[in-house]
Amino acid sequence: MANPISLAIHGGSGTILKSMLTPEQEVAYRTTLQLSLDQGKKVLENGGSAIDAVSTSVMVLEDSHLFNAGKGAVYTAIGTQEMDASIMNGADRKAGAVAMVKGVKNPIQLARLVMEKSEHVFLAAQGAEEFAKMQGVKFEAADYFHDELRYNQWQSVKGTDKTQLDHTPIVDEKFGTVGAVALDASGNIASATSTGGMTNKKFGRVGDSPIIGSGTYAHNKTCAVSCTGSGEYFLRGVVAYDVSCLMEYRGLSLSEATKIVIHDRLLELGGDGGLIAVDQKGNVSLEFNTEGMYRGSFVNGISDVSIFK
Ligand code: ASP
């Protein structure tokens, strides 16, 4: 029998209730999630690597205005978009990350170039953009990233000290970030995460998404993880690595480890959100302690896309 392949994707978690989406919006979200899943799956079915699959799936989500990453990135306090992304390869634990980059069409591609073409792991702000230009990465002008909904979200909190997690009208209820984890036919796993962070963020705020170990982690021996949620708590909980540690040091299964981290350890800190994870056997875990999480998975030949609990 052929080696198993698995893939999971997410487009953010939060208080996502069916009543909050119009039928048209729900269809739009589901269609884009399905496209991301299908594109990543195609890579794996053609014998491509887990790193290629997660990059491909995340790029589809970055190219949509629906999700808070790439094209759909939220506005900062000064009306710019500052994006963060990270990627990790479970086979050799190589990783690449970028933070606070502006104008880059696909931040996940830049994170991957940091991993593959630089001797560093993490580049930030103008330096990361300079590296992007040297690598010939595609930039887009401000109007590409402009979205009426995002702009209005920002207008509602502009000039205040409030930061807002993605498209929630008043309260911080819904998070936006995109991610993917995969197991390829050679038995390697990888993960990728990309985000615009929080609406109205300032002072160079960076969340967990580009931090290896917090928002993203991959190790063939244990699991590949991509997180979404209240970044400050995911940073303090070193969430992605915590899942890996529970598997490595306590011998827990992927499902046991992700449940403990999301429902016990993260909640203990006061954090909310979710994660997607895969192990070398092809098991997939989509765990969240919020009302919903935009998500999709391909396991044992079966595709599924879901939004609500
Ligand atoms: N974790 C991301 C951040 O804090 C936000 C999110 O997942 O919505 O930047």
Side-chain angles (χ1 to χ4, degrees):
M1 220 178 78
N3 292 328
I5 53 170
S6 289
L7 175 70
I9 57 163
H10 73 77
S13 62
T15 310
I16 310 163
L17 299 167
K18 201 164 170 78
S19 58
M20 288 166 55
L21 296 180
T22 64
E24 294 75 29
Q25 282 173 324
E26 190 180 330
V27 168
Y29 278 109
R30 286 184 186 276
T31 307
T32 310
L33 288 169
Q34 190 68 55
L35 181 69
S36 162
L37 197 62
D38 290 345
Q39 300 279 318
K41 192 180 103 181
K42 199 157 83 192
V43 171
L44 295 172
E45 284 173 343
N46 290 334
S49 68
I51 273 287
D52 279 339
V54 294
S55 310
T56 302
S57 285
V58 165
M59 269 160 63
V60 171
L61 300 172
E62 284 180 337
D63 290 344
S64 161
H65 68 91
L66 294 174
F67 301 98
N68 175 16
K71 187 175 172 55
V74 296
Y75 286 88
T76 65
I78 54 165
T80 54
Q81 276 101 357
E82 289 178 3
M83 299 170 285
D84 308 326
S86 62
I87 192 163
M88 188 160 182
N89 193 21
D92 51 15
R93 277 180 287 161
K94 284 200 172 138
V98 292
M100 298 172 67
V101 294
K102 296 205 239 345
V104 173
K105 181 170 182 280
N106 292 109
I108 201 64
Q109 187 197 15
L110 182 57
R112 184 170 176 177
L113 286 165
V114 172
M115 173 173 82
E116 290 173 349
K117 306 275 189 226
S118 85
E119 52 195 14
H120 308 295
V121 170
F122 196 1
L123 302 180
Q126 293 96 325
E129 288 161 22
E130 206 178 300
F131 174 74
K133 284 179 190 141
M134 276 172 57
Q135 295 294 328
V137 160
K138 189 153 188 214
F139 278 73
E140 293 286 356
D143 62 335
Y144 171 83
F145 296 96
H146 179 79
D147 181 71
E148 214 46 39
L149 175 79
R150 302 275 183 235
Y151 187 76
N152 293 336
Q153 284 172 345
W154 172 50
Q155 291 301 308
S156 70
V157 286
K158 190 182 162 188
T160 70
D161 281 333
K162 269 184 70 116
T163 47
Q164 191 170 307
L165 281 153
D166 203 15
H167 4 185
T168 312
I170 301 160
V171 262
D172 297 354
E173 286 173 326
K174 178 171 171 292
F175 313 128
T177 281
V178 307
V181 294
L183 164 70
D184 66 30
S186 311
N188 293 315
I189 59 177
S191 66
T193 311
S194 180
T195 192
M198 298 164 89
T199 296
N200 211 35
K201 64 183 180 181
K202 56 185 170 186
F203 309 130
R205 183 267 182 190
V206 175
D208 60 312
S209 308
I211 309 297
I212 298 302
S214 286
T216 301
Y217 191 70
H219 184 359
N220 270 6
K221 203 168 157 186
T222 54
C223 57
V225 182
S226 169
C227 301
T228 167
S230 43
E232 280 65 14
Y233 297 94
F234 280 72
L235 280 167
R236 289 164 53 206
V238 201
V239 167
Y241 187 57
D242 201 20
V243 174
S244 174
C245 286
L246 285 172
M247 293 178 73
E248 184 169 4
Y249 305 138
R250 269 178 51 190
L252 299 190
S253 69
L254 183 79
S255 153
E256 289 165 339
T258 53
K259 281 195 168 69
I260 288 180
V261 169
I262 291 298
H263 301 290
D264 299 345
R265 295 159 83 97
L266 183 63
L267 273 184
E268 218 172 83
L269 284 174
D272 44 2
L275 59 77
I276 53 171
V278 66
D279 67 14
Q280 248 192 338
K281 293 185 207 119
N283 296 309
V284 162
S285 198
L286 308 129
E287 219 46 70
F288 51 99
N289 62 28
T290 49
E291 291 297 332
M293 179 166 81
Y294 292 104
R295 61 198 186 278
S297 60
F298 175 73
V299 196
N300 297 325
I302 298 165
S303 284
D304 182 57
V305 163
S306 309
I307 301 178
F308 315 107
K309 221 182 231 162

